[in-house]
Amino acid sequence: MSKELIRNRVSNIALSLHDSRIINIEYQEALLRLKLDKIFQYTEEREIIYTGEIDFTEIDIDDCNILIFDKTVYEGDFSGKAISLTEYVEQYSNAEFEILTEGYNGYCTIYSGWIWQEGKEPVSGIINIYNIGEIIYRIDS
């Protein structure tokens, strides 16, 4: 006998990070904090834009990484590298990561988007965050 399971795709938080930019990343002990220029809330009547932060608790920073490509990728050939999130914070301290898509699955959060550095063309990137704790949105009112 087979069993059928259907994934629930309904979000319990009416917030989106699409078009937000991560302007700072901090890590201490088991807490990862992303500072964002925008956090979007969608209601039936309108879109509300906040600034704020997201905290990932119970993080293992060694299991977090970022893929950095040599250009924006949509079609054709590309190359890139994988580095730890710690290395990214050190090497790209003045960069902003613009989130184009966000995905939440089990204990893994994935943000894909563009890495912006002053005076350079953006390149694509994918951030992989592994945490077994909570994801806490702190929005400024």
Side-chain angles (χ1 to χ4, degrees):
M1 176 176 272
S2 65
K3 188 181 219 181
E4 189 174 278
L5 302 170
I6 300 172
R7 180 177 295 275
N8 180 358
R9 295 193 183 270
V10 177
S11 173
N12 64 352
I13 297 178
L15 298 174
S16 173
L17 302 181
H18 177 68
D19 291 335
S20 299
R21 287 194 183 195
I22 300 171
I23 55 177
N24 190 40
I25 300 173
E26 297 175 0
Y27 174 77
Q28 22 178 288
E29 300 189 20
L31 177 75
L32 179 69
R33 177 169 290 149
L34 307 179
K35 183 167 178 59
L36 297 150
D37 70 338
K38 293 178 256 182
I39 298 174
F40 298 91
Q41 180 182 26
Y42 297 101
T43 67
E44 289 184 22
E45 297 82 36
R46 63 188 177 124
E47 171 187 81
I48 305 167
I49 302 173
Y50 302 98
T51 59
E53 301 172 336
I54 299 177
D55 288 348
F56 293 86
T57 66
E58 296 184 52
I59 258 301
D60 185 346
I61 198 69
D62 294 332
D63 290 330
C64 300
N65 61 54
I66 183 165
L67 306 176
I68 302 172
F69 300 93
D70 61 346
K71 60 184 177 178
T72 55
V73 294
Y74 290 106
E75 296 179 12
D77 294 336
F78 58 87
S79 63
K81 62 183 176 180
I83 62 175
S84 71
L85 198 54
T86 304
E87 289 175 285
Y88 176 79
V89 169
E90 292 169 3
Q91 295 175 18
Y92 292 80
S93 61
N94 294 323
E96 294 182 353
F97 189 100
E98 180 179 359
I99 299 170
L100 299 179
T101 61
E102 57 190 304
Y104 304 92
N105 188 17
Y107 298 117
C108 187
T109 298
I110 300 170
Y111 298 128
S112 65
W114 291 351
I115 300 169
W116 292 88
Q117 292 182 287
E118 190 170 330
K120 296 183 179 182
E121 290 293 315
V123 297
S124 290
I126 300 171
I127 298 175
N128 295 295
I129 300 170
Y130 180 80
N131 82 300
I132 59 173
E134 297 176 323
I135 302 172
I136 304 166
Y137 292 75
R138 300 186 191 288
I139 57 175
D140 301 325
S141 45

